[in-house]
Amino acid sequence: QVQLVESGGGLVQAGGSLRLSCETSGSIFSDMGWYRQAPGKQRELVATLTRGQSTNYADSVKGRFTISRDNAKNTVYLQMNGLKPEDTAVYYCNAVTIIPTRRIYWGQGTQVTVAS
């Protein structure tokens, strides 16, 4: 049974920081990442990380957010610094399997609210 559980969201002032965590279980994942969805908006990519530690970031968060992964703990993190009001969204953990087939799994989401 695959499970992804996010935590660490909350309310912060602009310029503040948060660290999101996503604990996974039930499978070994290839790529993992974070997406976000604001009200009335489509879900968008924030950052991705392969099992080999290759990273990719949305242009809007480069230099402010850092994705990392602890394979021993089956956990992926998103360190968010210099938060802006436009970062306000529900943040979702994402994980991908390849074997036996490519499948995408999502966590339940954690709310991040940044006050101006």
Side-chain angles (χ1 to χ4, degrees):
Q1 185 175 2
V2 173
Q3 187 175 22
L4 282 66
V5 180
E6 302 103 327
S7 62
L11 172 64
V12 297
Q13 297 295 313
S17 298
L18 286 172
R19 190 178 79 154
L20 307 183
S21 298
C22 175
E23 295 185 57
T24 70
S25 61
S27 185
I28 301 299
F29 300 100
S30 55
D31 300 333
M32 303 183 72
W34 291 92
Y35 290 68
R36 66 187 181 187
Q37 187 168 22
K41 303 287 187 178
Q42 294 188 88
R43 190 172 298 185
E44 64 177 0
L45 181 147
V46 177
T48 59
L49 179 65
T50 70
R51 193 166 181 86
Q53 306 295 334
S54 178
T55 60
N56 181 53
Y57 295 93
D59 288 341
S60 60
V61 307
K62 286 181 179 178
R64 300 188 297 120
F65 292 9
T66 302
I67 188 170
S68 61
R69 180 173 180 169
D70 187 336
N71 290 328
K73 296 181 178 179
N74 301 312
T75 300
V76 63
Y77 305 94
L78 184 69
Q79 179 66 46
M80 304 185 294
N81 299 323
L83 284 162
K84 304 175 180 179
E86 52 262 44
D87 295 319
T88 295
V90 177
Y91 284 70
Y92 296 91
C93 182
N94 163 272
V96 179
T97 62
I98 295 179
I99 299 173
T101 187
R102 182 178 184 272
R103 299 186 67 173
I104 302 174
Y105 298 89
W106 297 93
Q108 80 286 351
T110 185
Q111 177 72 46
V112 172
T113 302
V114 184
S116 60

